[in-house]
Amino acid sequence: MNKLNSYTRIDIMDYLRGFALLGILLVNGYQAMGYLSNTNELHQVLYDIFNRKFYPILFFLFGFGCYLFMNRSNQKINNRYPLFLRRICFLFVLGLIHTFYAPLGINDVLMVYAVLGLFIVIFFKRNKWTNLIVTVTLIALSIVTAFCQPPYYDEFIVWLYTLSYISQWFSLVMLGYTMGQFKFFENVYGKLKYISIFLIVNICTYVSLFFVRKLEIHPVVPEILESYTVASIIASSFLIILQWDKAKMILTPLKFYGQMSLTNYLAQSVLLIVFSIIIGFTPINSLIVCFIIHAILITFSIVWLRYFKMGPVEWLLRYFTYWSKIPNRKKSVRNDLESV
């Protein structure tokens, strides 16, 4: 069973998860504060910037994680599908629990993962080119359905709006899985030329969308396109920045934060509740609370991963996936304790 879990982590994924968690807390904190009828102009500006910009990264990483789970070369087993279904069922249960205890205004993403995971199973045995066509089709569908919306918010067609965002979420999951099939993240630093071109194209697209939004031609299409472009800009920028060792060293706390992303995602809501009880959310301290929570969880992640291989909730996910106890304490630490 140990061999089933001995795989090389792709660091860039952890950096991206950690960075996404920074933005998600700012968004969730603002939404929780909004239910208390408080306003904070600076926090609102950050909310407008970050809203719908970081969840696309997590959807992409979930899809890539599905690929890693189903295609690890050292998993010489034939029952991967039951394991995967057990895994997403546990995510659904976690999401359900999170929905009950999370502050009002916060939308859970884990149940969405689980539902999309049921659909992505269909494409596990499809070749990479078929999945690429499906991904491009879903991206086009999300844009076309958004464009078919009436140009005014008060005339929204609900089913078109829903279809547009479901297509967007699923396209991002499929994109992550398909990029795994294309082995994109193997020797990724040898592809910096193409990544740089991709980054420039997305920056130009985002600047164009900025002016389109100012014209107020259409309410939804710019939001959909911005989600794709901003997520692409963030991911491309990290791929370029992290080729320098100094950048990796400076951003190492984000890596630890992202390595325990599931634990920290759930813990963010717990700490939001704790701080709302202790000091309350007011326009003055809403951002301060978010920064304190980040500091607490990043510190906790660094300390925890000195002694353990994975976060506590990640360990539970592994346990329920394989239905077997998996050693989590690092060997060096265990040996030190035994010697004492």
Side-chain angles (χ1 to χ4, degrees):
M1 183 60 66
N2 291 345
K3 293 183 178 180
L4 293 177
N5 299 281
S6 58
Y7 66 97
T8 302
R9 294 191 70 90
I10 300 178
D11 287 348
I12 182 63
M13 303 294 105
D14 292 328
Y15 283 104
L16 283 173
R17 288 189 186 97
F19 187 74
L21 285 174
L22 295 180
I24 285 171
L25 179 59
L26 288 173
V27 172
N28 287 345
Y30 179 85
Q31 290 174 332
M33 185 180 64
Y35 268 79
L36 300 175
S37 301
N38 292 321
T39 58
N40 181 334
E41 292 184 2
L42 177 57
H43 202 157
Q44 183 172 359
V45 170
L46 293 175
Y47 172 80
D48 293 336
I49 294 173
F50 294 149
N51 188 31
R52 297 194 180 97
K53 306 300 191 305
F54 289 91
Y55 278 114
I57 297 175
L58 293 183
F59 282 113
F60 172 84
L61 294 174
F62 173 72
F64 185 72
C66 292
Y67 168 79
L68 291 178
F69 181 85
M70 297 299 294
N71 295 276
R72 289 173 191 158
S73 60
N74 55 2
Q75 276 194 337
K76 305 299 183 181
I77 52 178
N78 297 318
N79 61 337
R80 297 181 189 179
Y81 285 90
L83 292 178
F84 180 78
L85 291 175
R86 194 185 301 163
R87 185 182 185 87
I88 62 174
C89 285
F90 184 69
L91 284 177
F92 186 86
V93 172
L94 282 180
L96 194 62
I97 296 171
H98 182 233
T99 300
F100 279 106
Y101 80 77
L104 293 175
I106 293 180
N107 298 316
D108 175 75
V109 72
L110 299 180
M111 288 193 294
V112 181
Y113 279 176
V115 174
L116 295 178
L118 290 175
F119 287 98
I120 200 175
V121 169
I122 302 170
F123 302 96
F124 281 163
K125 291 187 177 181
R126 304 294 182 267
N127 66 66
K128 59 186 179 182
W129 294 106
T130 300
N131 286 340
L132 180 60
I133 292 172
V134 172
T135 301
V136 173
T137 302
L138 287 168
I139 293 173
L141 179 63
S142 68
I143 296 171
V144 170
T145 50
F147 187 78
C148 290
Q149 282 282 6
Y152 303 104
Y153 281 101
D154 56 354
E155 299 176 359
F156 256 21
I157 301 175
V158 176
W159 71 268
L160 274 178
Y161 181 84
T162 304
L163 179 60
S164 179
Y165 276 100
I166 290 176
S167 302
Q168 181 192 19
W169 297 334
F170 194 41
S171 69
L172 291 163
V173 174
M174 284 295 299
L175 181 62
Y177 187 84
T178 305
M179 289 297 98
Q181 288 183 303
F182 275 94
K183 312 294 183 183
F184 179 79
F185 291 101
E186 295 182 9
N187 189 28
V188 67
Y189 297 123
K191 306 180 179 78
L192 289 179
K193 176 182 176 181
Y194 304 102
I195 296 171
S196 300
I197 295 173
F198 182 70
L199 174 61
I200 293 171
V201 170
N202 277 282
I203 290 175
C204 294
T205 303
Y206 180 75
V207 172
S208 301
L209 289 172
F210 179 79
F211 290 105
V212 170
R213 293 198 71 170
K214 290 295 183 181
L215 296 175
E216 298 183 354
I217 298 174
H218 201 284
V220 181
V221 174
E223 291 181 1
I224 296 289
L225 291 175
E226 278 186 12
S227 298
Y228 287 121
T229 56
V230 173
S232 300
I233 289 171
I234 293 172
S236 303
S237 299
F238 265 84
L239 289 174
I240 294 172
I241 293 171
L242 292 174
Q243 68 175 308
W244 291 289
D245 292 335
K246 287 186 178 180
K248 284 185 176 181
M249 185 180 300
I250 294 171
L251 297 174
T252 296
L254 283 184
K255 175 186 172 183
F256 292 122
Y257 200 23
Q259 193 171 337
M260 289 174 49
S261 58
L262 184 56
T263 297
N264 289 325
Y265 172 72
L266 296 172
Q268 283 182 355
S269 295
V270 173
L271 291 179
L272 280 174
I273 295 172
V274 171
F275 278 100
S276 67
I277 294 173
I278 296 175
I279 60 177
F281 280 111
T282 68
I284 296 176
N285 63 28
S286 63
L287 277 176
I288 297 175
V289 166
C290 291
F291 292 138
I292 293 174
I293 290 174
H294 282 315
I296 292 173
L297 293 180
I298 289 174
T299 303
F300 170 70
S301 300
I302 293 172
V303 174
W304 180 273
L305 291 173
R306 286 185 61 185
Y307 301 98
F308 300 96
K309 300 175 183 178
M310 65 191 82
V313 182
E314 285 78 6
W315 182 84
L316 284 174
L317 178 61
R318 292 285 181 87
Y319 177 84
F320 280 97
T321 298
Y322 298 104
W323 209 246
S324 176
K325 186 177 180 180
I326 300 169
N328 191 22
R329 187 180 293 276
K330 290 184 177 179
K331 290 183 179 180
S332 59
V333 175
R334 182 185 300 169
N335 293 337
D336 292 341
L337 292 175
E338 289 177 354
S339 64
V340 173

